[in-house]
Structure formats: structure tokens, C-alpha cells
Amino acid sequence: MHIARTLPELREHLGRFQRPAFVPTMGNLHEGHLALVRQAKPLGDVTVASIFVNRLQFLPHEDFDTYPRTWDSDCEKLRSAGCDLLFAPDEKALYPEPQTCKVHPDPVLADILEGHFRPGFFVGVCTVVMKLFSCVQPRVAVFGKKDYQQLMVIRHMVRQFALPIEIVGSETRRAEDGLALSSRNGYLSEAERAEAVQLSKALQAMDSALRSGERDLAAIEARAMQSLKERGWQPDYLVLRRRADLQAPAPGEPLVALAAARLGATRLIDNLEIDL
């Protein structure tokens, strides 16, 4: 695996390839990230991953400075997954001057749910992804469905700017007990890790209620919120939305259940597509 630290080095190495397949990450890699790399590998003629902790998507009170940096382990894992090229710029390489030009995604999609509770988050995400796309110039990019709204925002951005990039969504990888794999799971204490599976169980309970014939979505959502609150969680949202655009659904439309909640000091997100 070749490691490029600068844009000229990256472009020199990519010069002989026609169809890069790209997996952007912030490092602190786990099996979910490696599954993205493995899924990307047959989709292009070179498999590229990036590691860059993007300051622009962290709010002032969030964990940018303490976000885990696990460089040696990340490199070893990427090599084992078959990554050909790792782009790992520092802030000066990716942002050589203040990034005053930013991508502001459609607020109808980006200012709800995660965007409501983390104002400006998707501006930071879209800006860094657009810049990484410009650097790598992939033909395919793979993103995990665990960050469901992020995947939809990026797809919308690519479509709006007519970027020649196919965006592939990869199914959420889970631990044996059902907890969605996430870099932030490492913040959980042993007791919190045992409790964390209740987030996915709350989504499954929403699914079960719909499958049993219940159609009062507000009541299903309220019950899910209360179930977590009673266990000591601080939920931001547990909602049922139209899968196409995350807006309020009409009867019969494909649904997705989405959740974000804080357990102790750790904020976790998850989702579940529902097919009735």
C-alpha cells in the first residue's frame, strides 16, 4: 500500500489509473470501514482510502481534539483489506489556506435530524468530501449506510453538481449483539457497551409495531423515545421517515427508522430500513 501525504504525490500515483474506487474515512478504523474497502476493491482499477479528521464538521463543544488517532493500526488494517493507496494529508496539505469556499447542502435535507442537532455539520461534511473528490477524482465512492442522512446528502450533492461519481451505499456492519459498528463505540465503558444495544432494539421495536399493523407513527416514535429515557439515555430523536428524502411519510411509502441518542458522554446513531 502506497501512502500519499500531499496532493502532488497523490496525483502522481493515480496518474496511470482510470477508475479509482474511493473510501473516505477519519481513521480509528473498525471492521465497518474495512468492509467498505473490500466492497470498493472490485469496483475500480485502484482502491483508495483517505484518513483525515475534518475539523470543519465538529462543533465547538465536540471531540475534535480527542478524536482517536490510531495511525499504525489503521495502516495495518487497510493493508489487510487490500487498499492500494492511502491519502493521509495533514490540515495544511488539504486546507493550505482558510477554507472560505464551502458547500452548503439543501437545507430541506441537511438541516433536519443530524443537521438540526449539529448545526453546520453537513456543511463541513460536504465541503471536505467535495475537496477529497477533487483530489482523488474517483469514479466510484463507497459510504456506509450507518450514516444514513450523510449518505443521502452526499448523493444529492453529487447529483446537483453532476459529478461523474457513482455513490455506493454499504450495509451497516454490526456486532454480534446488534450494535452498529462505530468509532465512537470505543468511548463506551463496559457497562455502557452492554447497554448500547438498546438503541438498535428500539429501532427493531418500531419495525415490529408497524409489522403488527400499528399506523400511528407519532405514538410509535414517542414510545421508542420513552423506552430509552427510562433506561437513562438522552435521545435526540427516534423517528420514522420517508426513505426517499427523510421527510414525513405518506401511507404506503417505504420507511426508514432513524435514531440518535446519548449514553453517558457518548452520542450514538443508528437506522433501520423498514419494508412492510
Side-chain angles (χ1 to χ4, degrees):
M1 182 179 72
H2 183 80
I3 299 174
R5 294 284 194 173
T6 67
L7 181 53
E9 186 180 1
L10 172 72
R11 288 183 170 162
E12 180 182 3
H13 190 80
L14 287 176
R16 63 184 182 275
F17 298 103
Q18 298 298 317
R19 190 176 171 80
F22 181 42
V23 178
T25 84
M26 292 205 302
N28 192 25
L29 303 181
H30 52 68
E31 177 56 33
H33 295 110
L34 304 183
L36 303 183
V37 174
R38 288 192 288 268
Q39 185 169 345
K41 195 158 183 66
L43 303 179
D45 56 2
V46 61
T47 307
V48 185
S50 65
I51 292 177
F52 182 74
V53 183
N54 178 42
R55 187 186 298 271
L56 296 183
Q57 70 193 65
F58 287 80
L59 300 183
H61 66 278
E62 292 183 334
D63 56 344
F64 174 79
D65 290 327
T66 59
Y67 190 87
R69 275 77 165 173
T70 53
W71 173 254
D72 291 339
S73 173
D74 289 348
C75 289
E76 182 179 345
K77 290 175 180 177
L78 287 172
R79 288 189 186 97
S80 70
C83 182
D84 301 309
L85 173 60
L86 170 59
F87 181 42
D90 61 17
E91 283 194 287
K92 186 176 181 181
L94 197 62
Y95 299 132
E97 58 186 67
Q99 189 68 32
T100 55
C101 291
K102 298 179 180 179
V103 179
H104 289 259
D106 184 354
V108 173
L109 178 59
D111 287 1
I112 61 174
L113 303 173
E114 285 300 285
H116 173 76
F117 286 95
R118 303 178 69 190
F121 171 69
F122 286 118
V123 173
V125 168
C126 287
T127 300
V128 75
V129 169
M130 180 69 86
K131 193 148 195 180
L132 289 168
F133 282 171
S134 179
C135 293
V136 176
Q137 299 183 30
R139 291 297 173 264
V140 180
V142 183
F143 292 83
K145 281 189 176 182
K146 186 188 76 71
D147 298 291
Y148 201 89
Q149 186 177 6
Q150 174 178 279
L151 173 61
M152 296 189 71
V153 167
I154 289 169
R155 279 181 167 155
H156 188 261
M157 178 185 77
V158 166
R159 186 170 64 250
Q160 287 266 308
F161 284 104
L163 301 178
I165 305 171
E166 177 188 358
I167 302 299
V168 175
S170 182
E171 296 299 327
T172 301
R173 267 60 180 186
R174 298 183 180 276
E176 289 186 5
D177 63 357
L179 177 66
L181 299 185
S182 170
S183 297
R184 288 192 166 91
N185 292 349
Y187 295 155
L188 299 170
S189 69
E190 184 176 349
E192 288 170 341
R193 172 59 188 85
E195 171 65 22
V197 70
Q198 295 300 324
L199 188 62
S200 64
K201 288 185 176 180
L203 295 173
Q204 292 164 9
M206 297 169 83
D207 180 39
S208 296
L210 288 165
R211 291 182 185 280
S212 70
E214 187 174 352
R215 291 297 180 264
D216 186 340
L217 303 190
I220 294 172
E221 293 171 347
R223 195 161 60 243
M225 289 278 282
Q226 186 61 29
S227 70
L228 287 186
K229 287 180 180 178
E230 290 175 354
R231 301 184 67 91
W233 292 69
Q234 297 173 291
D236 286 340
Y237 57 83
L238 285 97
V239 297
L240 292 159
R241 294 295 174 92
R242 182 165 59 205
R243 201 183 301 176
D245 56 11
L246 302 187
Q247 302 304 304
E253 291 181 315
L255 300 176
V256 58
L258 305 112
R262 194 173 298 278
L263 180 59
T266 305
R267 187 175 184 273
L268 302 176
I269 65 172
D270 201 353
N271 65 80
L272 178 65
E273 290 181 330
I274 298 173
D275 296 303
L276 299 176

